[in-house]
Amino acid sequence: MAIVKTNLNFHQTFPPDASAISTLLSVAEEETAYTKEEISDITGIPTGKSSGKVEPFIKYAQFMGLIEDEYHDKKHLLKLTPLGKEVKYQDEALQEKATIYLCHSNMVLSSGASLWNFVFSNIFPRYGNKLKMTTFMDALKVQYKGTDVNMSPFYTSYSGMFRKLAVLKTTPEEVKCTFLPFKDAYINIYAYILLKEWESLHDGILELTADDFYAMNVDAKLCLSRSDFDKVLSTLESHGIIKFERLLTPFIVLKLHSSDVIIKHIYSTL
């Protein structure tokens, strides 16, 4: 899977909205090309000639792994991904906490939104889960070389669509990420996200050394502590999704399934 490159300010100041993204799933199910104005008329999502919410929300839905967007001649041909089809069938309104967690986890992957990915895959693993706002902003400035990044939608998303996760809090002085507890019921979400990131970063490779495996920082992307992530790995091995060759140093992790195979099982344990 190709890693998505996009403008850091794709959101145009708007945080993600579950209700709006839900309406886009219905549009995508039609597989009909529409202008953003036509999508606005169908969904009620406001838009204008130069800005508006339709295109930012399309991007959010893409980064959450729910839709694909083929854009030609000023028209968006939206299509549901296999994950999008499953989410639409199981939780069309995007109201279940598990669905929100799934959407957030996709957002922070290397195939997700650049800003979200950098914060969870780089800043928190490097500086810890509680850091001064000045340190946080300095890390962003170094990464994006002075590009003016509008952080407001990022912060607001954690009091909005991602509020149920209670995973990130900010004050003028600090940024804090809270680890989420390991949940047996989420095991197929963990499996899907792990395998999807493996396929993005190591396409076609079925064996990784321990160093390369942990370097993907999937634990941070799932907002899990290392000890809880190791519980995930043990459970996934017992389910035959991955396998460890521990006699080697460093040990080897074998990938036994593709992420697509997991999709139909994501909601089965919830």
Side-chain angles (χ1 to χ4, degrees):
M1 182 182 294
I3 296 175
V4 176
K5 304 294 184 184
T6 190
N7 189 307
L8 280 171
N9 295 311
F10 74 90
H11 42 60
Q12 297 181 24
T13 76
F14 305 114
D17 179 271
S19 177
I21 292 170
S22 173
T23 65
L24 291 175
L25 300 185
S26 295
V27 174
E29 191 172 41
E30 297 179 22
E31 296 194 4
T32 302
Y34 294 112
T35 65
K36 66 176 182 176
E37 290 81 11
E38 290 170 334
I39 293 175
S40 178
D41 290 340
I42 294 168
T43 63
I45 301 171
T47 196
K49 290 185 178 180
S50 60
S51 64
K53 296 183 177 181
V54 168
E55 290 181 326
F57 288 160
I58 288 173
K59 283 291 187 184
Y60 277 121
Q62 281 184 276
F63 294 142
M64 292 174 186
L66 303 176
I67 67 170
E68 297 174 350
D69 177 23
E70 297 176 14
Y71 185 68
H72 299 289
D73 299 324
K74 297 184 178 181
K75 288 191 173 184
H76 296 272
L77 175 56
L78 305 184
K79 297 179 180 180
L80 291 172
T81 63
L83 179 66
K85 291 177 182 178
E86 186 69 12
V87 168
K88 188 177 188 303
Y89 176 74
Q90 299 284 354
D91 182 23
E92 183 174 1
L94 309 182
Q95 291 300 304
E96 292 186 25
K97 187 175 180 180
T99 302
I100 299 300
Y101 180 53
L102 179 62
C103 289
H104 181 269
S105 298
N106 269 311
M107 279 279 290
V108 306
L109 294 184
S110 56
S111 56
S114 175
L115 176 60
W116 271 262
N117 171 251
F118 181 67
V119 169
F120 283 87
S121 69
N122 186 289
I123 292 183
F124 291 136
R126 180 178 180 185
Y127 295 101
N129 282 24
K130 184 177 180 180
L131 64 160
K132 293 181 179 178
M133 180 62 77
T134 52
T135 303
F136 183 74
M137 295 306 298
D138 285 346
L140 292 170
K141 289 176 183 176
V142 170
Q143 172 69 7
Y144 298 117
K145 298 178 174 58
T147 302
D148 184 18
V149 182
N150 184 349
M151 295 298 296
S152 179
F154 176 84
Y155 299 141
T156 305
S157 68
Y158 292 95
S159 57
M161 182 172 177
F162 300 140
R163 178 181 56 82
K164 292 179 180 179
L165 302 180
V167 72
L168 188 133
K169 291 183 179 180
T170 60
T171 68
E173 292 77 33
E174 69 177 22
V175 179
K176 182 180 180 182
C177 174
T178 301
F179 286 133
L180 299 177
F182 168 81
K183 290 188 176 183
D184 285 319
Y186 285 8
I187 193 60
N188 289 318
I189 296 178
Y190 303 146
Y192 174 75
I193 293 298
L194 170 61
L195 296 176
K196 183 178 179 182
E197 190 68 330
W198 186 321
E199 291 155 7
S200 291
L201 297 177
H202 303 284
D203 187 30
I205 297 175
L206 301 180
E207 298 182 8
L208 292 177
T209 66
D211 292 341
D212 289 338
F213 180 81
Y214 282 111
M216 294 190 295
N217 286 332
V218 176
D219 50 344
K221 293 165 185 174
L222 287 169
C223 302
L224 295 174
S225 67
R226 176 56 63 89
S227 61
D228 275 347
F229 185 59
D230 285 340
K231 291 180 186 177
V232 169
L233 300 182
S234 295
T235 306
L236 295 183
E237 185 175 31
S238 70
H239 289 187
I241 293 170
I242 59 175
K243 182 180 178 182
F244 293 95
E245 294 288 355
R246 295 184 175 86
L247 295 179
L248 300 173
T249 304
F251 65 79
I252 300 294
V253 187
L254 306 178
K255 178 175 175 287
L256 304 180
H257 289 283
S258 70
S259 60
D260 284 346
V261 170
I262 305 298
I263 290 173
K264 64 180 178 292
H265 301 293
I266 284 177
Y267 287 89
S268 65
T269 54
L270 299 175

